[in-house]
Amino acid sequence: MNRWPIPDAMRQALNAARAAGAQGEVPIGAVVVRGGEIIAVAANQTREPPDPTGHAEIRALRMAAERLGQERLTDCDLHVTLEPCAMCAGAISHARIARLYYAAPDPKGGAVEHGARVFEQEQCLHAPEVYSGMGEAEAAELLRGFFRERR
Amino acid sequence: MNRWPIPDAMRQALNAARAAGAQGEVPIGAVVVRGGEIIAVAANQTREPPDPTGHAEIRALRMAAERLGQERLTDCDLHVTLEPCAMCAGAISHARIARLYYAAPDPKGGAVEHGARVFEQEQCLHAPEVYSGMGEAEAAELLRGFFRERR
């Protein structure tokens, strides 16, 4: 049997997530891509240094904006290993990300297909195209393993 | 006639907003307070350097976390001149802010009493106490003046 291949950008997001987990950060990774080129790779980093906004998506968007020298990341796609929360979905909208790819859904904290459904609100000025499921099993297992070890 | 006084922290948030407007940034300010002490003062800064996440609340929360050396800002209050968007409401929840004070409501972009209503969702693990209206006229006039000049 052949597994459907995980796209390269999501593979790199999973690698970033794994590395974060090894540092004691929640293993979630994000990658910004523009025209096939990887612009930013980041993982969750909320503990050291302490930053309540240090989710992978926020960090990747900030890095990409700095690197490209522009506030709006039009023509960029974001690949992230977990369904974004309200904070990150809002940031994705502000950044004008064209396409959002996420691996695993997050019923407990997600705000795309759950809860706040940020992109479906009238107040949302820009909604990306959304795709999910690529690398879902790998992303979910990284999180399960991380929290299992910490119980 | 005497105007009801604007609390000192909101006054400082309004001053930060005004200074940001003079720099060409959208005039919104935020202040983090703990036990009467001001921990962080910030304003919107999304243009220079370019940062789609550079809202006043996000910047104030990051500064406060860095200054206090802790990810969770338990016992801290946030004062902001405009109703937070989904991104900022999510960040306020992640930061475990105890009380949120905002001056003006934002029907077009707010996510507290409008739209995503982030704090009312099942996925929201921590909701602050919310108070609004102190300094509302001043905050709204700063924004109106800013956008009037740019039309």
Side-chain angles (χ1 to χ4, degrees), chain A residues 8-10 12-13 30-41 67 79:
Chain A
D8 182 57
M10 188 60 81
Q12 296 211 34
V31 169
V32 174
V33 175
R34 186 176 66 173
E37 186 195 357
I38 288 186
I39 306 292
V41 179
R67 173 149 177 221
H79 301 252

Side-chain angles (χ1 to χ4, degrees), chain A residues 25-103:
Chain A
E25 299 277 357
V26 179
I28 300 168
V31 169
V32 174
V33 175
R34 186 176 66 173
E37 186 195 357
I38 288 186
I39 306 292
V41 179
N44 253 38
Q45 195 176 334
T46 65
R47 295 176 185 187
E48 193 50 49
D51 179 1
T53 75
H55 285 194
E57 300 94 313
I58 298 282
R59 298 186 66 239
L61 294 172
R62 298 183 78 219
M63 279 180 209
E66 189 182 341
R67 173 149 177 221
L68 297 177
Q70 56 192 59
E71 182 188 343
R72 293 187 176 179
L73 305 175
T74 317
D75 304 329
C76 290
D77 300 336
L78 181 75
H79 301 252
V80 57
T81 58
L82 190 67
E83 179 186 350
C85 70
M87 174 178 76
C88 293
I92 287 163
S93 174
H94 292 317
R96 306 293 195 270
I97 286 289
R99 290 172 210 85
L100 165 65
Y101 300 86
Y102 61 85

Side-chain angles (χ1 to χ4, degrees), chain A residues 46 51 62 71 107 115 121 123, chain B residues 46 51 62 71 85 107 115 123:
Chain A
T46 65
D51 179 1
R62 298 183 78 219
E71 182 188 343
Q121 305 298 329
Q123 285 78 7
Chain B
T46 65
D51 179 1
R62 299 183 77 218
E71 182 187 342
C85 70
Q123 285 77 7

Side-chain angles (χ1 to χ4, degrees), chain A residues 124-141:
Chain A
C124 180
L125 295 180
H126 168 85
E129 291 176 29
V130 180
Y131 305 89
S132 72
M134 60 301 289
E136 176 174 351
E138 289 80 354
E141 180 47 36

